[in-house]
Amino acid sequence: MIANDQLRAQIPNSLDQVDLELPGERNIGKVREAWAREGRRLIVTTDRVSAFDRVLTTIPFKGQVLNQVAAFWFEQTIDIVPNHVVSVPDPNAMVVRDLEPILVEMVVRGYLTGQSNTSAWTHYERGVREFCGNQLPDGMRKDQAFASPIVTPSTKAAIGEHDESVSADEIVRRGIVSRDIMNELVDISLRLFARGQEVAARQGILLVDTKYEFGLDGDRIVLMDEIHTPDSSRFWYADEYQRRFEAGEEQKRIDKDYIRNWLKERGFVGDGVAPVIPDEVRLEAARRYIEAFEVITGQEFKPAAGNVLQRLRTSLQSY
């Protein structure tokens, strides 16, 4: 694990604003920024962290973790489905093929869990037994594994609106994708999830649930965005699972929600003025992201320390 003084020294060097003079059509998201031109898209993953739809601060090395974890998994799954990666010219950047996005998020769940109002467990606890086209048996408990993973697609809403979890049949009925494409998306997603669970098991962790996004390259389905990162997926520690499940305790998890939970404990859930997030909280969040990288990939994290923006300017000169 990286030393505390090295983490602390990175705080002023964290990537917040991507002030780069780059050609192409620019798109700015909460965490990623992209430039598209000539069939390619440059994606820069910043160190920004958002919670409750608000960008609040930066976490040292967060962008590097997310970019390199995604790159790891794209390599691990290339035999299942082609992906959009062309090159990884910088620890925080990826050049990808520019695709026509398929406006569906393919969510795969291996366990009955969650805490939000839209989670599978919340619906189940309220008595719902048909969830996004999946019939769930009576008598299940929180954090229990499904007999086999289930797919619960989500629409990709316009900016300012909310995604909606629906069945695969409903996605087809609305004309978002054809039946043939939907069937293929379900099959690919389940195979990706099985590979994710297989690789995670070797690292002593459980891939609990995740989301996949796809695009079209002509008539070919291509995996895009990110895959099995701490931001897109839930992981638990395998050696703690059974004991905690039987005791009804919360699972030991690779926690992407540390800052979110810190804010909730102080009464902030998105409205009003957000509390200032102290450096010690940012450093703890960084440690957790780095731990996630090492546990998920089985590799030692090699921090690209120093001014991220200056390094990007050098790495992306050819772009």
Side-chain angles (χ1 to χ4, degrees):
M1 180 61 74
I2 186 172
N4 286 338
D5 57 350
Q6 192 173 8
L7 267 182
R8 191 176 297 278
Q10 189 63 21
I11 286 180
N13 290 316
S14 297
L15 184 61
D16 185 4
Q17 303 300 319
V18 188
D19 297 323
L20 296 172
E21 296 293 331
L22 294 173
E25 179 183 350
R26 186 178 184 181
N27 178 269
I28 301 176
K30 291 188 182 73
V31 175
R32 291 175 175 84
E33 301 194 17
W35 290 260
R37 69 180 181 115
E38 300 176 0
R40 294 288 184 264
R41 185 174 294 265
L42 169 69
I43 301 174
V44 174
T45 306
T46 73
D47 295 321
R48 296 193 295 258
V49 60
S50 68
F52 307 109
D53 290 326
R54 300 265 294 273
V55 175
L56 299 172
T57 188
T58 58
I59 297 174
F61 300 115
K62 175 178 181 279
Q64 180 183 346
V65 166
L66 294 181
N67 196 59
Q68 293 190 325
V69 168
F72 168 83
W73 282 108
F74 281 129
E75 291 180 0
Q76 293 288 321
T77 56
I78 190 64
D79 60 315
I80 296 174
V81 60
N83 60 64
H84 67 169
V85 179
V86 175
S87 64
V88 184
D90 183 90
N92 284 67
M94 191 176 286
V95 176
V96 304
R97 280 174 286 170
D98 201 13
L99 306 170
E100 177 189 347
I102 297 174
L103 300 180
V104 180
E105 286 189 357
M106 298 300 294
V107 179
V108 184
R109 304 172 190 268
Y111 296 78
L112 180 61
T113 192
Q115 297 177 333
S116 71
N117 291 333
T118 59
S119 74
W121 170 247
T122 299
H123 282 81
Y124 190 89
E125 198 174 25
R126 292 171 179 165
V128 174
R129 294 296 179 268
E130 191 277 330
F131 186 64
C132 298
N134 300 278
Q135 296 298 323
L136 306 182
D138 291 328
M140 291 190 72
R141 295 166 51 197
K142 186 174 185 290
D143 297 344
Q144 184 173 343
F146 293 116
S148 57
I150 65 172
V151 178
T152 62
S154 174
T155 61
K156 287 181 65 65
I159 295 174
E161 300 179 9
H162 295 289
D163 295 346
E164 182 183 1
S165 295
V166 295
S167 67
D169 287 343
E170 180 64 14
I171 293 288
V172 174
R173 190 191 69 79
R174 295 184 187 185
I176 299 174
V177 298
S178 69
R179 170 61 65 185
D180 287 345
I181 288 180
M182 191 71 232
N183 289 344
E184 193 169 355
L185 291 175
V186 169
D187 176 67
I188 292 170
S189 297
L190 288 173
R191 286 193 286 144
L192 288 172
F193 193 75
R195 176 65 55 79
Q197 288 192 312
E198 173 191 334
V199 174
R202 296 201 293 265
Q203 302 302 122
I205 56 178
L206 303 173
L207 175 59
V208 178
D209 49 40
T210 193
K211 71 176 181 69
Y212 304 112
E213 296 191 36
F214 299 92
L216 290 174
D217 182 9
D219 58 359
R220 184 175 65 157
I221 292 175
V222 178
L223 180 64
M224 55 180 275
D225 192 52
E226 60 183 332
I227 171 174
H228 300 162
T229 71
D231 276 12
S232 68
S233 311
R234 195 188 324 250
F235 294 91
W236 292 336
Y237 285 86
D239 61 352
E240 295 272 353
Y241 170 73
Q242 194 62 34
R243 181 191 66 77
R244 288 175 180 263
F245 173 68
E246 292 174 357
E249 298 176 1
E250 289 295 314
Q251 291 296 326
K252 182 182 178 184
R253 58 190 185 270
I254 296 175
D255 194 350
K256 66 182 180 183
D257 287 333
Y258 172 70
I259 284 185
R260 184 184 179 91
N261 293 335
W262 183 89
L263 292 165
K264 286 175 67 176
E265 289 169 2
R266 284 148 185 83
F268 179 78
V269 291
D271 297 323
V273 179
V276 175
I277 299 175
D279 285 353
E280 292 307 319
V281 173
R282 296 166 68 192
L283 293 174
E284 178 59 25
R287 282 188 283 269
R288 292 179 184 226
Y289 268 97
I290 292 169
E291 178 188 14
F293 172 90
E294 296 187 337
V295 172
I296 291 169
T297 67
Q299 301 171 4
E300 180 184 357
F301 181 70
K302 298 178 180 178
N307 188 295
V308 180
L309 185 60
Q310 288 182 3
R311 190 191 69 232
L312 279 166
R313 288 195 175 109
T314 300
S315 300
L316 302 178
Q317 279 181 353
S318 61
Y319 185 83

